[in-house]
Every structure is written in structure tokens, then in C-alpha cells.
Amino acid sequence: MTVYIYARFSPRRNEEDCESIEVQVDRCVRYAEQLDLEVGRLVTDRAVSGGVPIADREGGSKIVDNIRRGDHVIAQRVD
């Protein structure tokens, strides 16, 4: 089983309200630790809109191309 952590950052006008990739990753790692899961892969996308399908994002497509039954993906938000 592989546990993926996925984080995405899209700069916008209200950038001070956006969570950085580092903050998202830290929160996801702590969540995985609470569930006693070992993170196998960290995948990120920068400057990509949440409106872009995950399979069309550079990082997201790595998950889509490699995920297998039983693997898990942890993300701070589903968009």
C-alpha cells in the first residue's frame, strides 16, 4: 500500500488567506501519523487552478497513473 500526500497551490488576489504547500503537507503528514500510515509519496502542483481536473495536472497525473487498489491519497482539500 502506498499513501500519497497531494498538495496544490494556486496564487490569487487574497494570497494571504491561501495555505502554502508546506502547511498543507505538514497537516497531511500529521494526519497520516495519527492513522499510523507511512507516507510513501509526496506529490505537489504549484500555480494550478482547482478547476483543472487532477488527471490534467502534472503532479496529479502522477497519482492517477500510479495508484493501485488499496492505496490512499491524503489532501487538505478535495479541490
Side-chain angles (χ1 to χ4, degrees):
M1 172 183 64
T2 298
V3 175
Y4 294 87
I5 287 184
Y6 179 74
R8 178 192 63 80
F9 179 75
S10 176
R12 34 188 133 140
R13 285 177 283 162
N14 59 343
E15 194 170 323
E16 64 278 356
D17 295 331
C18 297
E19 300 290 352
S20 71
I21 283 180
E22 294 77 19
V23 169
Q24 293 177 52
V25 168
D26 182 59
R27 288 178 180 166
C28 290
V29 167
R30 283 189 279 132
Y31 180 71
E33 289 172 349
Q34 289 174 357
L35 298 176
D36 202 28
L37 298 172
E38 184 176 331
V39 176
R41 192 147 184 203
L42 169 62
V43 181
T44 62
D45 280 310
R46 293 185 186 270
V48 176
S49 168
V52 175
I54 194 165
D56 294 339
R57 305 173 192 174
E58 184 177 346
S61 67
K62 290 177 185 175
I63 294 173
V64 172
D65 292 344
N66 292 292
I67 198 164
R68 294 175 296 189
R69 183 179 303 271
D71 289 348
H72 299 277
V73 178
I74 299 173
Q76 182 172 316
R77 295 180 54 168
V78 294
D79 66 346

